[in-house]
């Protein structure tokens, strides 16, 4: 009997665990280690953050689902990986620290035959002065990265609306904080949703909206921008992004690294060296992401963290991590099996794997501050990679040495993204995109790096219906209800 | 905000393409949007099939 341990129960980890259990049945053991007791459909946190959904609508408890599926659930945080075991035994294990199940603060050794790191990002508020401490959000701004953050964001937003209703002019700033942030899409959705709600509440005229981000141009989204085919035209996402903002009277600051946040004020530095300051009454800034800080040790208890992980804490897999200039970046640099080159029984899925480099062109200010969006790893790639990793582990268990791995790189993978621009069955809107491939491949698609017949975008209320349908569909799938395997990642 | 209220003198808004009232109403026309949604559904199925096809053994 093989024991497979999956660290993390987000999109990637939950996908890997549930497929492995389905394919391997009771002959092998699947263990999920995750500090959260509930699963969260993170994309809908945007709607919690504007009061259009409750927290209960976007989360559900994991324990009953895992019990029903026969998955061993440990509500705990993984601390360290020991891929060679230790001086007492050669059997690999991880150390975990319980966060629930009435075992809070107890440490335990958990042996594995196969290990999947799907621990997602650490929300590094502490990387920006005044934004927070370590992974804790500070008091000056709000966040929508977790369901609880989103609840708090809505409370603050409603207070700001009350002031606007009373005739006080308000200023909103939404975007990214650190120069190396990713997840611009979430901030983009949030600014459009807050603006939409301000209109509904009849307070829009008293609120000024501003976007701030590390993107070189609007519509970059950490993907080096996009060229979208639509109605026989091919249009840069820059034009789409700017037009959507112009239509809503939202101005923007780009190429920016927020260096400091204080009460109602932030300072930033731009790629051209300009230093600026903005005042605000309400701000939501996405924090920098890094790996969750897992440590690794060899059998003699020597620290091998830097061998398993990149300096940003994300796990090294089968990508080409050689430092090279932008002109030499290739689609083939991107990993495809997500297997650790050092330990063949360790994989990373979703945000936890280290990308070889950004997708957007790197930039630095004259002071040397890096202002380059990190590449996004959204829900669809996280799920697709999670399933491919599950297939590889299944093959390794069932076929032994001759097993083949499942491979799909983000340069061969397409994604469907629906960015909400406001809630409402009739008055809601969203921008629906398809992108192929996610990572630009200039050898295959000279000019734009992508297939423009498959990279497409449009805005309308139908996008909102799709986003709402996806909310219910993915929660249904994650709850492993009848036919869940038929719903694609 | 609708097109007529827009201030194209704001430098950032100069190069943009903003829909007029008719185009905006089309974004909320139920029938048209149902058709658009079907097309988007087909495009999405295309992407899902591509992802399945591109996953290979190594
Ligand atoms: C506000 C917001 C909106 C978004 N909207 C969209 C969208 O519309 N569409 C889209 O495709 N993507 C969207 N994304 C991105 C999407 O949420 C991520 O791509 C996806 O969640 C990544 O999945 P993951 O499994 O890699 O990480 P996560 O979902 O973050 O899961 C990581 C898991 O690891 C656990 N963990 C953390 N530390 C440890 C540890 N030490 N030990 C064990 N477990 C640990 C966490 O508790 C969590 O369960 C959005 C993101 C945000 C923040």
């Amino acid at each position: 009997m093989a024991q497979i341990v999956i660290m993390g129960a987000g999109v990637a980890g939950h996908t890997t665990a549930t497929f492995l259990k389905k394919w391997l049945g009771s002959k092998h053991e699947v263990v999920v280690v995750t500090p959260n007791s509930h699963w969260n459909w993170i994309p809908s946190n945007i709607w919690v953050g504007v009061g259009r959904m409750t927290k209960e609508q976007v989360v559900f408890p994991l324990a009953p689902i895992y019990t029903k599926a026969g998955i061993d659930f440990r509500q705990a945080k993984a601390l360290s990986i020991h891929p060679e075991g230790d001086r007492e035994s050669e059997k690999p294990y991880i150390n975990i620290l319980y966060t629930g199940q009435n075992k809070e603060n107890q440490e335990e050794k958990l042996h594995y035959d196969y290990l999947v790191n799907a621990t997602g990002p650490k929300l590094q508020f502490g990387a920006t002065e005044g934004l927070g401490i370590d992974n804790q959000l500070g008091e000056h701004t709000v966040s929508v990265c977790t369901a609880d953050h989103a609840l708090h964001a809505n409370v603050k937003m409603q207070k700001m609306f009350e002031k606007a209703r009373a005739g006080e002019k308000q200023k909103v700033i939404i975007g990214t904080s650190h120069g190396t942030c990713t997840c611009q899409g979430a901030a983009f959705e949030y600014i459009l949703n807050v603006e939409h709600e301000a209109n509904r509440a009849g307070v829009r005229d008293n609120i000024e909206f501003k976007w701030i981000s590390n993107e070189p141009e609007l519509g970059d989204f950490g993907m080096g921008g996009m060229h979208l085919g639509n109605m026989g035209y091919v249009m840069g996402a820059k034009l789409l992004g700017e037009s959507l903002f112009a239509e809503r009277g939202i101005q923007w600051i780009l190429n920016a690294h927020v260096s400091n946040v204080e009460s109602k004020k932030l300072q930033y530095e731009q790629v051209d060296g300009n230093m600026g300051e903005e005042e605000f009454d309400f701000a939501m800034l996405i924090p920098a992401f890094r790996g969750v800080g897992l440590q690794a040790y060899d059998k003699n208890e020597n620290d091998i963290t830097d061998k398993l992980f990149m300096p940003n804490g994300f796990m090294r897999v089968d990508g080409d991590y050689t430092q090279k200039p932008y002109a030499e970046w290739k689609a083939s640099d991107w990993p495809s099996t997500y297997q650790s080159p050092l330990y063949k029984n360790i994989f990373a899925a979703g945000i936890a794997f280290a990308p070889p480099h950004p997708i957007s062109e790197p930039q630095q200010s004259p002071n040397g501050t890096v202002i380059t969006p990190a590449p996004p790893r959204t829900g669809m790639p996280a799920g697709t990679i999670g399933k491919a990793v599950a297939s590889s582990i299944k093959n390794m268990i069932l076929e032994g040495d001759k097993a083949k791995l499942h491979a799909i790189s983000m340069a061969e993978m397409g994604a469907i993204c629906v960015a909400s621009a406001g809630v409402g069955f009739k008055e809601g809107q969203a921008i629906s995109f398809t992108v192929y491939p996610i990572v630009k491949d200039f050898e295959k698609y000279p000019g734009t790096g992508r297939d423009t017949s498959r990279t497409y975008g449009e805005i309308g209320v139908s996008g909102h219906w799709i986003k709402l349908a996806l909310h219910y569909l993915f929660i249904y799938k994650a709850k492993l209800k009848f036919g869940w395997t038929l719903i694609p990642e | 905000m609708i097109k007529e209220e827009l201030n194209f003198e704001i430098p950032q808004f100069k190069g943009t393409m903003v829909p007029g009232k008719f185009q905006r109403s089309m974004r909320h026309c139920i029938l048209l949007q149902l058709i658009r949604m079907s097309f988007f559904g087909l495009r999405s199925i295309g992407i899902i099939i591509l992802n399945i096809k591109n996953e290979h053994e190594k």
Side-chain angles (χ1 to χ4, degrees):
Chain A
M1 180 190 259
Q3 178 152 358
I4 309 122
V5 173
I6 290 131
M7 304 183 288
V11 176
H14 191 66
T15 306
T16 311
T18 49
F19 273 104
L20 272 172
K21 193 66 205 172
K22 179 176 166 57
W23 292 332
L24 296 172
S26 54
K27 285 195 188 122
H28 302 279
E29 203 177 342
V30 177
V31 186
V32 171
V33 176
T34 191
N36 48 305
S37 59
H38 285 64
W39 195 81
N40 177 204
W41 178 239
I42 298 175
S44 298
N45 288 354
I46 300 294
W47 293 338
V48 177
V50 291
R52 300 300 296 268
M53 268 198 182
T54 62
K55 181 182 166 188
E56 291 65 37
Q57 282 175 284
V58 301
V59 301
F60 64 80
L62 280 168
I65 306 296
Y66 285 157
T67 307
K68 201 172 121 201
I71 293 171
D72 181 351
F73 171 50
R74 312 288 179 99
Q75 198 192 327
K77 194 171 132 176
L79 300 174
S80 57
I81 308 176
H82 303 255
E84 301 167 5
D86 53 24
R87 289 192 183 99
E88 286 158 27
S89 154
E90 281 186 3
K91 187 138 172 76
Y93 69 92
I94 60 168
N95 268 331
I96 64 171
L97 178 74
Y98 280 91
T99 56
Q101 298 174 321
N102 298 322
K103 289 187 186 174
E104 283 84 346
N105 298 322
Q106 285 182 34
E107 272 199 44
E108 196 176 292
K109 225 180 196 184
L110 192 60
H111 288 284
Y112 67 82
D113 296 299
Y114 297 90
L115 181 68
V116 181
N117 174 13
T119 48
K122 172 177 170 183
L123 305 173
Q124 220 194 346
F125 294 101
T128 306
E129 209 180 312
L131 195 66
I133 297 169
D134 195 26
N135 62 348
Q136 298 300 311
L137 172 67
E139 56 186 339
H140 306 313
T141 64
V142 300
S143 152
V144 285
C145 291
T146 70
D148 284 324
H149 285 170
L151 274 181
H152 166 251
N154 176 47
V155 171
K156 294 278 187 188
M157 186 197 80
Q158 299 298 345
K159 281 194 182 141
M160 185 262 298
F161 280 6
E162 269 166 36
K163 287 189 186 162
R165 205 169 282 124
E168 247 183 80
K169 292 281 177 203
Q170 299 290 297
K171 184 163 173 188
V172 170
I173 297 196
I174 293 175
T176 58
S177 57
H178 198 271
T180 61
C181 277
T182 181
C183 224
Q184 290 77 12
F188 185 76
E189 287 188 283
Y190 195 56
I191 197 168
L192 297 182
N193 270 271
V194 175
E195 200 270 341
H196 179 82
E197 291 306 313
N199 274 309
R200 277 186 73 235
V203 295
R204 177 64 182 90
D205 288 346
N206 279 339
I207 307 177
E208 182 192 336
F209 280 83
K210 204 160 232 179
W211 170 259
I212 188 162
S213 101
N214 56 352
E215 295 162 290
E217 57 183 39
L218 276 176
D220 181 272
F221 294 123
M223 299 171 69
M226 276 171 270
H227 281 85
L228 305 159
N230 192 346
M231 305 267 203
Y233 288 85
V234 174
M235 165 180 69
K238 174 178 190 279
L239 178 59
L240 178 70
E242 289 183 353
S243 302
L244 287 168
F245 277 2
E247 190 186 334
R248 289 161 177 77
I250 302 172
Q251 295 193 51
W252 55 87
I253 302 166
L254 297 170
N255 286 305
H257 161 81
V258 174
S259 48
N260 184 44
V261 183
E262 303 163 28
S263 171
K264 299 192 169 221
K265 196 158 73 182
L266 61 80
Q267 272 120 24
Y268 61 89
E269 176 184 355
Q270 283 176 295
V271 166
D272 60 5
N274 176 49
M275 301 285 183
E277 194 172 278
E278 286 287 326
E279 296 197 340
F280 62 82
D281 299 287
F282 176 84
M284 197 293 289
L285 299 175
I286 298 280
F289 287 1
R290 59 171 290 124
V292 298
L294 295 167
Q295 302 292 304
Y297 299 93
D298 69 9
K299 61 172 175 292
N300 297 317
E301 273 149 53
N302 296 315
D303 193 329
I304 53 164
T305 309
D306 60 344
K307 293 200 172 105
L308 246 79
F309 296 92
M310 293 293 281
N312 61 11
F314 293 120
M315 193 174 241
R316 290 173 193 270
V317 287
D318 61 320
D320 180 353
Y321 295 104
T322 338
Q323 293 275 316
K324 44 190 167 187
Y326 176 70
E328 290 171 27
W329 290 358
K330 286 205 167 79
S332 55
D333 298 339
W334 285 75
S336 64
T337 65
Y338 309 93
Q339 186 182 44
S340 160
L342 276 184
Y343 301 99
K344 302 294 175 201
N345 58 346
I346 300 184
F347 292 80
I351 293 180
F353 85 81
H357 43 65
I359 305 174
S360 305
E361 193 168 346
Q363 301 191 94
Q364 256 188 23
S365 74
N367 284 337
T369 308
V370 177
I371 306 180
T372 308
R377 278 140 290 157
T378 56
M380 193 162 182
T384 306
I385 294 168
K387 191 173 177 187
V389 165
S391 306
S392 298
I393 294 176
K394 179 197 70 176
N395 287 0
M396 287 167 88
I397 291 173
L398 300 181
E399 295 163 26
D401 288 346
K402 62 176 193 327
K404 293 228 159 130
L405 300 182
H406 278 247
I408 182 155
S409 95
M410 278 173 57
E412 306 162 302
M413 196 190 292
I416 303 160
C417 311
V418 187
S420 171
V423 182
F425 184 76
K426 275 173 81 179
E427 80 279 7
Q429 281 189 64
I431 307 112
S432 320
F433 296 101
T434 56
V435 181
Y436 182 81
I438 301 170
V439 172
K440 291 181 175 182
D441 184 343
F442 285 103
E443 282 169 15
K444 231 179 185 169
Y445 307 106
T448 69
R450 297 205 177 90
D451 181 342
T452 45
S453 68
R454 293 189 168 112
T455 303
Y456 168 89
E458 65 171 57
I459 180 164
V461 68
S462 63
H464 173 68
W465 301 335
I466 298 169
K467 182 111 185 155
L468 197 63
L470 292 179
H471 165 92
Y472 291 110
L473 203 67
F474 282 114
I475 290 181
Y476 181 93
K477 180 180 166 85
K479 285 183 173 172
L480 311 184
K481 293 207 174 162
F482 177 74
W484 67 273
T485 52
L486 301 174
I487 301 169
E489 278 50 64
Chain B
M1 213 175 273
I2 57 168
K3 188 180 152 205
E4 286 72 15
E5 296 166 15
L6 255 180
N7 185 355
F8 277 109
E9 278 168 21
I10 294 176
Q12 288 191 322
F13 296 171
K14 274 189 179 149
T16 60
M17 194 175 90
V18 171
K21 272 185 185 161
F22 176 74
Q23 284 303 327
R24 288 168 61 89
S25 68
M26 285 300 103
R27 290 180 182 172
H28 299 278
C29 165
I30 303 281
L31 188 64
L32 181 75
Q33 290 295 316
L34 279 171
I35 298 168
R36 307 289 290 171
M37 189 164 77
S38 321
F39 280 120
F40 189 76
L42 289 175
R43 283 183 175 278
S44 303
I45 292 169
I47 294 285
I48 292 162
I49 293 172
L50 264 174
N51 284 354
I52 295 169
K53 255 178 55 186
N54 288 354
E55 191 175 318
H56 53 281
E57 288 197 323
K58 191 170 170 182

